[in-house]
């Protein structure tokens, strides 16, 4: 089992009563800060809490030799569990888009919606 810490930035919804969560996953060589302009949008924060997450071996997330898309999907579930989030939406760009699709395939009961942006098949 992997033991590492997740680098992430939390953007709280404008209404504390909002419980919906959306995870944003960056592309290869990217980091959580790439999502700042989208994650901080007032329109988005009216609807959901946003978590921009650094992938393993990127940004502030710990390094680990295993980085398959299956591993990344399990990482997202581990992150959700750490945050006590049962269901979530997930959007990703490029590598993050592939990881978003993989988490939706492997854990459909946890994913409310998925968006993949410019991800190769």
């Amino acid at each position: 089992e992997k033991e590492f810490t997740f680098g992430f930035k939390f953007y709280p919804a404008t209404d504390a009563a909002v419980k919906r969560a959306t995870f944003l996953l960056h592309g290869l060589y990217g980091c959580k800060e790439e999502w700042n302009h989208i994650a901080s949008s007032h329109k988005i924060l009216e609807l959901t809490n946003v978590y921009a997450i650094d992938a393993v071996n990127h940004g502030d997330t710990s390094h680990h030799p295993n980085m398959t898309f299956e591993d990344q999907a399990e990482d997202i579930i581990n992150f959700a569990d750490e945050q006590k989030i049962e269901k979530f939406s997930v959007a990703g760009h490029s590598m993050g888009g592939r990881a978003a699709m993989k988490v939706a395939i492997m854990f459909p009961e946890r994913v409310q919606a998925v968006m993949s942006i410019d991800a190769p098949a």
Side-chain angles (χ1 to χ4, degrees), residues 15-16 28 78 91 110 115 119:
D15 181 348
L28 188 63
N78 290 335
R110 302 287 299 267
M115 180 173 28

Side-chain angles (χ1 to χ4, degrees), residues 63-109:
H63 289 247
H64 196 274
N66 297 334
M67 197 177 148
T68 67
F69 288 108
E70 290 80 7
D71 290 322
Q72 291 181 57
E74 290 175 3
D75 292 343
I76 296 304
I77 294 301
N78 290 335
F79 176 81
D81 291 346
E82 281 185 12
Q83 300 300 313
K84 300 188 180 357
I85 297 169
E86 183 61 31
K87 294 187 178 201
F88 53 88
S89 298
V90 60
H93 171 254
S94 189
M95 176 191 77
R98 296 260 327 251
M101 290 186 287
K102 186 58 81 171
V103 75
I105 290 167
M106 290 175 63
F107 303 97
E109 71 283 0

Side-chain angles (χ1 to χ4, degrees), residues 5-72:
T5 57
F6 292 98
F8 70 98
K9 184 162 183 185
F10 176 60
Y11 301 81
T14 53
D15 181 348
V18 172
K19 300 300 179 200
R20 184 178 184 113
T22 300
F23 297 164
L24 301 178
L25 311 178
H26 61 77
L28 188 63
Y29 307 120
C31 65
K32 63 187 173 293
E33 284 81 10
E34 292 178 0
W35 289 105
N36 187 55
H37 63 289
I38 293 172
S40 61
S41 164
H42 293 291
K43 294 284 187 191
I44 291 174
L45 294 176
E46 288 174 0
L47 304 171
T48 185
N49 293 289
V50 177
Y51 297 79
I53 306 167
D54 280 331
V56 68
N57 300 331
H58 292 75
D60 296 324
T61 293
S62 298
H63 289 247
H64 196 274
N66 297 334
M67 197 177 148
T68 67
F69 288 108
E70 290 80 7
D71 290 322
Q72 291 181 57

